[in-house]
């Protein structure tokens, strides 16, 4: 329409011209009249679009719908062949993935050092939590079963599936950090805690690696409030769990009884405790809360020793360093706050230069206490150098949410030929598969 | 006569047929209407059953026996499964006797008898009475509205018929807005396309004779009246890029009339896309599920579910603070900074990520800067968490959870994991849902692809 109108104007002025010219003889007046002619006959120029529109309705009704989708579908800018070729020659094209191998479990082709997507998708729902032991990694998802993968072999084969562990799905699973790895605890969305164990065989051999249920704590017996996060002590004797009303219960696993309850607010009205951790020496318990508060309790004295501030947004994860000297906490603020456990001081923040960092869902120290590992909702795994307070590596294999990232305990022998005794970690989340990473420096 | 005129105006008819062929390519543009099926047989059976009851009561009076009305508590089926062994006193079929053992029972008998009488009268005359009306007929007897509601539902379930078959309905609560015409049985035609934000009260589905869908492509069920009014006032039903559509709300948990209407739409137009727009919280999911699968208590009501209803939003992906919001937020931050009062030094403001969200919202409201998605989420309360677990339980107990159900479990679990909820308004900037809805509705249409015709090639490079 915009194009049509000017051309019609030209035509109309041209056709009008002779008629207007006739009475006059000089060319000067002709020009003047020509200029005035257009405003004098607005009805003509207006009439033209109407005439065109009359022809339109059947066409318009068809095209209307096409435009709506076509206009949106058209690429806004075409990348020319030359441009594409230039990038390719400059080595910036997408690389072919050549590191492929056959999955030993299902025979499908998969990426080397990655879990087979077919096999890993044994979790039909997203994975909410990972728990490593020295020989395996346990994973819990929104489905009812728990899955165990062997980490002593380079292909990370599926070791065991525990069906119907938690009917409504499982949100937390934990093993003892620095422990033997014979006990695991999981919490389901229904609010029940289950403690799993590998029964000790008489000869002490490693032939039997099957996990079995040792103890189930029904939601009604957990002592008020819905149970959320869990942690196990390094000697695998105690279990700490948090509740939605801000309490932390500590249970003796052998005796199957509650030995301690820490309150963080007025009775039954504390802020939702989203995270908990026990220090490896068994002396301290830390909890992270919805309100942003971080509390540290002394297990020997049975009372709170530090109430730590610094984060004002919900704290989703807390972790003691292996030496029990430091406590790291992170959550919606997107920064990692590090506290000193000798004096209860806030010693620093680890931050990424971003205006709005993503929520951190998981935090873990490696066995030497040098590195921190975080997973966040934007799908990024970050490795931080705790000494220099900088992010040393960022992995973004997925853009869906990550719920958990864990270092695997360091083992004596190499996983496979050419892999060395490097550090390994794993991450999992909404993509429903577990991704394993190893240190790239090699040795 | 028709053929003669057709022959005379041959060229015209030809062009007309051609244009009609053109129109048929796009099914949504065709204008037609559907006759509503009439549920009559239920009402006659209700009448006969009530009369049977009356007869048995008269017989009992004659013979001087105790007067008995069978009465099934429709809440019992769950109790029955759970505590069949523990609770023997609860029988699946209960009765109300007169004169009963207690004074309450006598009162209940009277109330029930009164309801039966009124229902009988309504069935004979063909009128429809509301539950509210029943209550006001005898407020001293019924004491409260909820007593009447429970009585009526239990009566319907005892007789094994729907509540509407008794000619008893709840007062209309649902609203509708959109370019469709509804013709009722009494011959009156209502255009739901009224200007303004108020919409039209939903008529009872049994009163509808025909509906003229004028090129309507989608139906959007909105949880909240406020959202409904905003969308209706902005004429979203005709201004949407996804074509014309209809907005429906039941103001919170849906009543039977609204659910029946939706179910009626689904049966009348199997190609019509039905979408639900609810809050991202456990109650929102429960409301969506009530539309889709019906409610537990009113399980005996037929034609009150809409299995094709699709959960449009809000899902966790819409409210989660993701990377795309980042650049947006940073620009707003800087803008906010420039307009900020001098009391805020820049150091504090750069740490804004860890600031109190409440304080921040006030700040933003004053300078009128867009709220980022992560600012509009709220933490779940203990009640919300319980409700979420209950809904998951309900879904898991279904025999075979399909894809939709798995999606619902997933969203609820995410809700619990993140411990956040969000209102519908969380997706919009400046209260404008239209852009987000356009995107979602068009995306949904593409996903379905069936009703959209040939031009819908896979266009992934959006």
């Amino acid at each position: 329409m915009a194009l049509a109108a000017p051309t019609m104007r030209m035509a109309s002025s041209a056709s009008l011209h002779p008629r207007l010219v006739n009475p006059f003889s000089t060319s000067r007046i002709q020009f003047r009249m020509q200029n005035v002619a257009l405003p004098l006959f607005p009805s003509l120029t207006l009439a033209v679009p109407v005439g065109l529109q009359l022809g339109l309705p059947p066409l318009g009704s068809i095209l209307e719908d096409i435009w709506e989708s076509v206009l949106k579908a058209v690429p806004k800018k075409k990348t020319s062949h030359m441009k594409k070729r230039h990038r390719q020659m400059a080595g910036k094209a997408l690389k072919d993935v050549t590191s492929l191998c056959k999955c030993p479990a299902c025979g499908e082709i998969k990426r080397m050092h990655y879990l087979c997507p077919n096999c890993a998708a044994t979790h039909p729902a997203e994975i909410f939590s990972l728990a490593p032991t020295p020989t395996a990694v346990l994973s819990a998802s929104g489905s009812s079963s728990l899955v165990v993968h062997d980490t002593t072999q380079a292909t990370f084969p599926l070791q065991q599936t525990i069906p119907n562990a938690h009917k409504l799905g499982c949100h937390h699973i934990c093993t003892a950090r620095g422990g033997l790895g014979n006990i695991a605890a999981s919490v389901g969305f229904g609010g029940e805690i289950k403690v799993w164990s590998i029964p000790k065989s008489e000869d002490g051999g490693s032939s039997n690696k099957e996990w079995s249920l040792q103890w189930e704590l029904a939601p009604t017996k957990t002592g008020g409030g819905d149970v959320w996060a869990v942690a196990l002590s390094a000697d695998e004797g105690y279990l700490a769990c948090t509740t939605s009303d801000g309490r932390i219960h500590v249970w003796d696993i052998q005796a199957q009884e509650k030995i301690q309850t820490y309150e963080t607010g007025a009775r039954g009205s504390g802020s939702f405790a989203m995270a908990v951790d026990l220090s490896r020496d068994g002396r301290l318990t830390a909890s992270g809360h919805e309100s942003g508060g971080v509390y540290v309790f002394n297990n020997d004295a049975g009372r709170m020793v530090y109430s730590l501030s610094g984060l004002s947004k919900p704290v989703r994860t807390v972790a003691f360093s292996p030496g029990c000297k430091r406590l790291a906490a992170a959550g919606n603020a997107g920064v990692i706050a590090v506290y000193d456990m000798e004096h209860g001081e806030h010693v620093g923040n680890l931050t990424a230069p971003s205006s709005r960092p993503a929520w951190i869902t998981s935090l873990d120290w490696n066995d030497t206490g040098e590195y921190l590992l975080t997973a966040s909702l934007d799908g990024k795994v970050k490795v931080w150098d705790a000494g220099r307070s900088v992010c040393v590596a960022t992995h973004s294999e997925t853009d869906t949410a990550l719920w958990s990232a864990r270092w695997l305990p360091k083992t004596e022998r190499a996983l496979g030929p050419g892999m060395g005794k490097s550090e390994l970690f794993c991450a999992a989340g909404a993509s429903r598969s577990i991704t394993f990473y190893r240190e790239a420096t090699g040795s | 006569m028709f053929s003669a005129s057709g022959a005379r105006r041959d060229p015209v008819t030809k062009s007309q047929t051609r244009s009609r062929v053109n129109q048929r390519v796009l099914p949504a543009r065709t204008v037609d209407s559907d006759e509503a099926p009439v549920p009559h047989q239920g009402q006659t059976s209700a009448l006969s059953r009530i009369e049977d009851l009356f007869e048995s009561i008269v017989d009992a009076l004659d013979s001087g026996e105790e007067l008995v009305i069978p009465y099934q508590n429709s809440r019992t089926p769950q109790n029955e499964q759970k505590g069949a062994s523990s609770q023997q006193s609860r029988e699946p079929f209960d009765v109300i006797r007169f004169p009963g053992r207690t004074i309450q029972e006598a009162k209940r008998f009277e109330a029930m008898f009164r309801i039966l009488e009124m229902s009988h009268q309504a069935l004979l005359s063909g009128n429809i009475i509301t539950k509210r009306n029943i209550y006001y007929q005898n407020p001293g007897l019924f004491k409260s509205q909820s007593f009447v509601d429970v009585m009526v539902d239990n009566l319907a379930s005892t007789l094994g018929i729907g509540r509407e078959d008794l000619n008893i309905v709840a007062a209309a609560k649902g609203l509708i807005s959109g370019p469709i015409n509804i013709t009722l049985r009494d011959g009156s035609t209502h255009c739901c396309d009224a200007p303004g934000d108020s919409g039209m009260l939903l008529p009872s589905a049994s009163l509808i004779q025909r509906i003229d869908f004028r090129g309507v492509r989608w139906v959007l069920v909105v949880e909240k009246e406020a959202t409904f009014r905003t969308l209706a006032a902005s004429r979203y039903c005709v201004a949407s890029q996804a074509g014309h559509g209809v907005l429906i709300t039941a103001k919170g948990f849906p009543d039977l009339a609204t659910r029946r209407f939706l179910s009626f739409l689904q049966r009348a137009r199997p190609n019509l896309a039905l979408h639900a727009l609810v809050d991202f919280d456990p109650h929102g999911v429960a409301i969506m599920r009530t539309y889709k699968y019906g409610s537990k208590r009113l399980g005996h009501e037929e034609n009150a579910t809409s299995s094709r209803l699709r959960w449009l939003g809000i899902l966790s992906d819409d409210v989660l603070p993701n990377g795309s919001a980042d650049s947006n937020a940073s620009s707003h931050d800087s803008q906010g900074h420039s307009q900020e009062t001098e009391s805020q030094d820049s150091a504090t403001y750069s740490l804004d990520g860890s600031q109190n969200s409440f304080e921040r919202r006030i700040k933003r409201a004053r300078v009128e800067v867009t709220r980022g998605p992560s600012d509009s989420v709220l933490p779940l309360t203990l009640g919300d968490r319980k409700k979420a677990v209950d809904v998951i339980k309900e879904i898991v107990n279904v025999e075979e959870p399909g894809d939709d159900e798995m999606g619902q479990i997933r969203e609820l679990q995410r809700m619990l994991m993140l411990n956040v909820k969000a209102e519908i308004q969380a997706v919009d900037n400046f209260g404008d849902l239209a852009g987000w809805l356009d995107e979602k509705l068009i995306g949904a249409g593409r996903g379905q692809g069936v009703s959209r015709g040939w031009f819908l090639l896979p266009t992934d490079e959006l």
Side-chain angles (χ1 to χ4, degrees), chain B residues 293-309:
Chain B
Y293 308 102
S295 70
K296 232 188 272 171
R297 195 168 67 78
L298 296 180
H300 58 276
E301 299 281 351
E302 282 174 2
N303 297 331
T305 59
S306 332
S307 55
R308 280 194 307 106
L309 186 70

Side-chain angles (χ1 to χ4, degrees), chain B residues 254-269:
Chain B
D255 56 341
L256 200 55
T258 314
R259 275 161 49 200
R260 272 187 198 277
F261 184 79
L262 204 64
S263 167
F264 178 81
L265 284 187
Q266 168 171 318
R267 274 175 292 132
R269 263 306 184 83

Side-chain angles (χ1 to χ4, degrees), chain B residues 144-206:
Chain B
S144 74
Q145 178 68 54
S146 59
F147 182 75
V148 178
D149 298 351
V150 170
M151 278 295 223
V152 168
D153 284 333
N154 289 344
L155 173 66
S157 104
T158 310
L159 297 180
I161 47 182
R163 189 208 292 155
E164 283 197 352
D165 298 334
L166 295 170
N167 274 16
I168 301 175
V169 295
K173 181 171 114 173
L175 294 175
I176 183 169
S177 170
I180 64 172
N181 290 340
I182 298 177
T183 308
L184 300 184
R185 285 199 190 288
D186 59 6
S188 62
T189 300
H190 301 268
C191 177
C192 307
D193 199 12
D197 64 348
S198 55
M200 196 187 89
L201 269 180
L202 264 183
S204 165
S206 61

Side-chain angles (χ1 to χ4, degrees), chain B residues 136-360:
Chain B
Y136 277 126
Q137 285 291 328
N138 214 336
L141 170 67
F142 294 120
K143 291 284 193 317
S144 74
Q145 178 68 54
S146 59
F147 182 75
V148 178
D149 298 351
V150 170
M151 278 295 223
V152 168
D153 284 333
N154 289 344
L155 173 66
S157 104
T158 310
L159 297 180
I161 47 182
R163 189 208 292 155
E164 283 197 352
D165 298 334
L166 295 170
N167 274 16
I168 301 175
V169 295
K173 181 171 114 173
L175 294 175
I176 183 169
S177 170
I180 64 172
N181 290 340
I182 298 177
T183 308
L184 300 184
R185 285 199 190 288
D186 59 6
S188 62
T189 300
H190 301 268
C191 177
C192 307
D193 199 12
D197 64 348
S198 55
M200 196 187 89
L201 269 180
L202 264 183
S204 165
S206 61
L207 290 180
I208 297 172
Q209 190 171 33
R210 46 177 283 171
I211 297 180
D212 182 3
F213 298 92
R214 300 181 305 192
V216 163
R217 294 177 166 202
W218 48 264
V219 173
L220 184 67
V221 182
V222 185
E223 175 185 343
K224 280 190 213 152
E225 194 187 356
T227 316
F228 174 86
R229 287 191 187 278
T230 314
L231 289 173
S234 63
R235 313 278 301 139
Y236 183 73
C237 9
V238 287
S240 167
Q241 283 187 19
H244 289 188
V246 175
L247 296 169
I248 292 177
T249 185
K251 309 176 188 169
F253 262 93
D255 56 341
L256 200 55
T258 314
R259 275 161 49 200
R260 272 187 198 277
F261 184 79
L262 204 64
S263 167
F264 178 81
L265 284 187
Q266 168 171 318
R267 274 175 292 132
R269 263 306 184 83
N271 288 336
L272 202 62
L274 304 175
H275 303 288
L277 177 62
V278 293
D279 283 347
F280 181 66
D281 62 13
H283 296 279
V285 182
I287 286 171
M288 191 270 299
R289 284 180 54 81
T290 310
Y291 277 115
K292 190 162 178 165
Y293 308 102
S295 70
K296 232 188 272 171
R297 195 168 67 78
L298 296 180
H300 58 276
E301 299 281 351
E302 282 174 2
N303 297 331
T305 59
S306 332
S307 55
R308 280 194 307 106
L309 186 70
R310 203 178 144 276
W311 188 7
L312 191 72
I314 298 174
L315 306 180
S316 54
D317 290 340
D318 300 323
V319 293
L320 281 187
N322 48 16
S324 61
D326 207 5
S327 57
N328 208 5
S330 67
S331 69
H332 288 310
D333 270 0
S334 59
Q335 193 186 342
H337 191 189
S338 63
Q339 298 183 10
E340 208 44 61
T341 52
E342 54 280 358
S343 65
Q344 290 280 337
D345 57 354
S346 63
T348 322
Y349 207 79
S350 68
L351 278 173
D352 198 25
S354 59
Q355 288 284 309
N356 184 341
S357 64
F358 180 63
E359 181 192 329
R360 178 179 185 152

